[in-house]
């Protein structure tokens, strides 16, 4: 059973709540995204992510639960980790493959997510080779994974997503293909365009799970132990800035839950199954919901 650093949990939850308040009250994410250059976005997101990641570790250090966080290699990774995701979230591509804006937007997304996956994995793999070769590559292992609880979680989500799929606000967002790229059945889209899009979309969840649950938990537990979960969850919450407020808040607690799973299993695949499974079920719900709308 995973014991809890109660002081750290309370204080880091308050830090997360403060960051959420600042973002949604002042529109921080909109300011960062709006008409800024790549370098301004990169440094602005780096500042946000560093605060969300470093301050929780400061709390852990001050509560006296992880004296090893003074280690020089820990400090290097502490300052390095936020720049990786700041780079991911700031990079944009504009491939002019057709004369149609909609189709160019579609193909940009098809290339964008897998390319960011490759970039992120490459950086993490180099980091792993240098600092963490004594363990499997940040949770890429199936050893000891019990799949039944994860399938049960997905089974529980089916009626909830089915109900949500009847709601106008849900159908305004899902499937992502229509809301992100503006594509619909009138644009000449076929089944393989949809399949390709969903596979590309799914690759982003692999990137997220590998980075947050794999890297930010498994690379840091040798210094912080189980307390590595809380800074990861705070950081994870900030990447949901710009999403609906409820989704952003729930991501913090979801991050803690998935972090506990990875801490106990040392594998990201259980959490990935749940995360990716829910995402794709919401996509299917969106497609079916539009058929009956």
């Amino acid at each position: 059973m995973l014991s809890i650093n109660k002081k750290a949990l309370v204080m880091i939850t308050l830090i997360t709540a403060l960051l959420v308040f600042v973002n949604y009250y002042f529109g921080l994410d909109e300011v960062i995204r709006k008409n800024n250059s790549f370098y301004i976005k990169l440094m602005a997101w780096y500042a946000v992510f560093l605060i969300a990641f470093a301050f929780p570790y400061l709390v852990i250090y001050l509560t006296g639960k992880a004296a090893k966080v003074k280690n020089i290699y820990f400090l290097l990774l502490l300052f390095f980790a936020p720049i990786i995701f700041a780079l991911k979230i700031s990079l944009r591509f504009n491939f002019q493959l057709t004369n149609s804006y909609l189709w160019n937007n579609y193909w940009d997304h098809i290339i964008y997510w897998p390319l960011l996956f490759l970039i992120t994995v490459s950086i993490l793999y180099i980091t792993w080779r240098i600092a963490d070769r004594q363990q499997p590559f940040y949770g890429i292992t199936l050893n000891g994974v019990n799949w039944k609880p994860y399938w049960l979680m997905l089974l529980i989500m089916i009626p909830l997503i089915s109900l949500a799929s009847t709601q106008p606000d849900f159908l305004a967002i899902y499937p992502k293909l229509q809301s992100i790229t503006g594509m619909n059945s009138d644009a000449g889209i076929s089944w393989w365009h949809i399949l390709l899009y969903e596979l590309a979309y799914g690759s982003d969840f692999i990137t997220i799970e590998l980075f947050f649950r794999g890297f930010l938990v498994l690379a840091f537990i040798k210094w912080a132990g189980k307390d590595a979960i809380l800074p990861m969850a705070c950081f994870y919450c900030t990447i949901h800035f710009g999403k609906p407020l409820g989704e952003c808040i729930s991501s913090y607690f979801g991050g803690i839950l998935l972090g506990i799973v990875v801490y106990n299993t040392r594998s990201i695949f259980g959490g990935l199954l749940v995360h990716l499974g829910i995402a794709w079920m919401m996509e299917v719900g969106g497609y079916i919901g539009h058929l009956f709308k």
Side-chain angles (χ1 to χ4, degrees):
M1 188 70 178
L2 189 65
S3 61
I4 299 173
N5 181 346
K6 294 180 180 179
K7 287 184 180 180
L9 175 62
V10 171
M11 295 176 68
I12 293 170
T13 301
L14 290 175
I15 291 172
T16 306
L18 179 60
L19 289 170
V20 171
F21 170 78
V22 168
N23 181 74
Y24 285 88
Y25 187 81
F26 296 103
L28 179 61
D29 69 288
E30 295 178 4
V31 173
I32 296 174
R33 289 187 174 97
K34 188 177 182 180
N35 299 322
N36 286 320
S37 69
F38 163 75
Y39 295 103
I40 292 177
K41 289 179 182 178
L42 178 66
M43 297 314 298
W45 281 122
Y46 177 66
V48 171
F49 296 156
L50 181 62
I51 290 170
F53 195 48
F55 272 67
Y57 269 111
L58 178 61
V59 168
I60 290 169
Y61 175 68
L62 292 176
T63 57
K65 298 294 184 178
K68 292 182 181 179
V69 296
K70 293 186 292 185
N71 182 282
I72 184 63
Y73 295 107
F74 163 81
L75 293 173
L76 288 173
L77 283 186
L78 178 72
F79 285 91
F80 178 61
I83 199 69
I84 300 175
F85 212 85
L87 179 66
K88 176 193 179 297
I89 205 172
S90 302
L91 280 173
R92 286 294 179 268
F93 307 106
N94 185 17
F95 299 100
Q96 297 296 322
L97 301 178
T98 75
N99 293 324
S100 166
Y101 168 78
L102 287 179
W103 279 106
N104 273 326
N105 194 20
Y106 169 83
W107 287 111
D108 279 353
H109 283 84
I110 297 301
I111 299 171
Y112 174 73
W113 284 312
L115 185 54
L116 287 181
F117 168 75
L118 292 174
I119 292 171
T120 305
V121 168
S122 297
I123 296 172
L124 293 182
Y125 183 76
I126 293 170
T127 304
W128 172 77
R129 292 282 295 183
I130 294 172
D132 281 307
R133 290 179 64 183
Q134 71 277 9
Q135 64 170 312
F137 176 49
Y138 297 140
I140 304 299
T141 178
L142 294 173
N143 291 338
V145 178
N146 179 8
W147 296 102
K148 289 183 180 179
Y150 308 115
W151 288 115
L152 180 60
M153 291 180 200
L154 291 179
L155 190 63
I156 292 172
M157 291 302 299
I158 291 176
L160 300 176
I161 293 174
S162 298
L163 179 62
S165 301
T166 65
Q167 304 304 307
D169 55 345
F170 181 92
L171 296 176
I173 299 174
Y174 296 98
K176 291 283 190 178
L177 178 61
Q178 67 168 15
S179 61
I180 293 180
T181 69
M183 303 292 285
N184 53 48
S185 58
D186 299 327
I189 192 166
S190 63
W191 67 268
W192 68 268
H193 290 115
I194 295 173
L195 178 61
L196 191 60
Y197 180 86
E198 294 301 335
L199 291 174
Y201 177 52
S203 71
D204 194 47
F205 290 87
I206 303 174
T207 306
I208 289 171
E209 287 301 315
L210 179 64
F211 180 80
F212 283 95
R213 258 63 72 179
F215 177 53
L216 295 191
V217 174
L218 297 180
F220 285 81
I221 56 175
K222 59 179 171 286
W223 296 298
K226 64 184 183 302
D227 292 325
I229 295 169
L230 294 174
M232 174 278 293
C234 183
F235 188 168
Y236 183 59
C237 181
T238 62
I239 75 167
H240 292 80
F241 286 175
K243 300 287 182 66
L245 178 60
E247 182 178 349
C248 182
I249 293 172
S250 64
S251 69
Y252 172 67
F253 299 101
I256 292 175
L257 177 61
L258 291 172
I260 292 171
V261 170
V262 168
Y263 179 84
N264 285 291
T265 65
R266 297 298 197 268
S267 171
I268 69 168
F269 285 109
L272 177 61
L273 174 64
V274 174
H275 202 171
L276 189 53
I278 291 174
W280 274 338
M281 284 197 295
M282 292 171 76
E283 288 289 284
V284 171
Y287 288 115
I288 296 175
H290 278 281
L291 287 176
F292 291 96
K293 186 173 66 172

